[in-house]
Amino acid sequence: MTKVNVEQVRKQIPAGTRVEPVWMDDPQAPPVGTRGTVTAVDDTGSLLMHWDNGSHLNVIYGEDVVREVIYYGEDVVGKVSDHV
């Protein structure tokens, strides 16, 4: 992944973005539907995470798939297309 591509991921999915897993290739992955907060994007484009269930398993760029969750106040108002 190039530096330009990493910067694109950082702009598209900045720290603080709420996501939920669609598919993650890891036996320790949080269950589908678990929500979490992106804390940063590393130099490989992977998302550093804090999942609501207490896990900190990262979302690996090009392997795992998450969906952004959009809130209005405390209500979920939509889910954006899949990322990473």
Side-chain angles (χ1 to χ4, degrees), residues 5-83:
N5 291 353
V6 169
E7 289 306 316
Q8 288 174 337
V9 172
R10 286 181 175 143
K11 287 179 184 176
Q12 184 180 14
I13 311 171
T17 301
R18 296 284 289 164
V19 299
E20 62 184 27
V22 173
W23 185 84
M24 293 179 72
D25 187 22
D26 191 303
Q28 300 299 316
V32 171
T34 302
R35 295 192 178 133
T37 303
V38 176
T39 60
V41 177
D42 72 11
D43 290 339
T44 67
S46 295
L47 307 180
L48 307 183
M49 296 297 303
H50 178 77
W51 297 100
D52 293 355
N53 67 357
S55 172
H56 291 275
L57 186 69
N58 296 337
V59 175
I60 306 302
Y61 183 86
E63 293 184 31
D64 301 328
V65 180
V66 294
R67 173 179 302 136
E68 184 177 358
V69 179
I70 306 297
Y71 290 88
Y72 182 75
E74 293 188 22
D75 298 324
V76 174
V77 294
K79 296 179 182 179
V80 179
S81 61
D82 303 337
H83 297 289

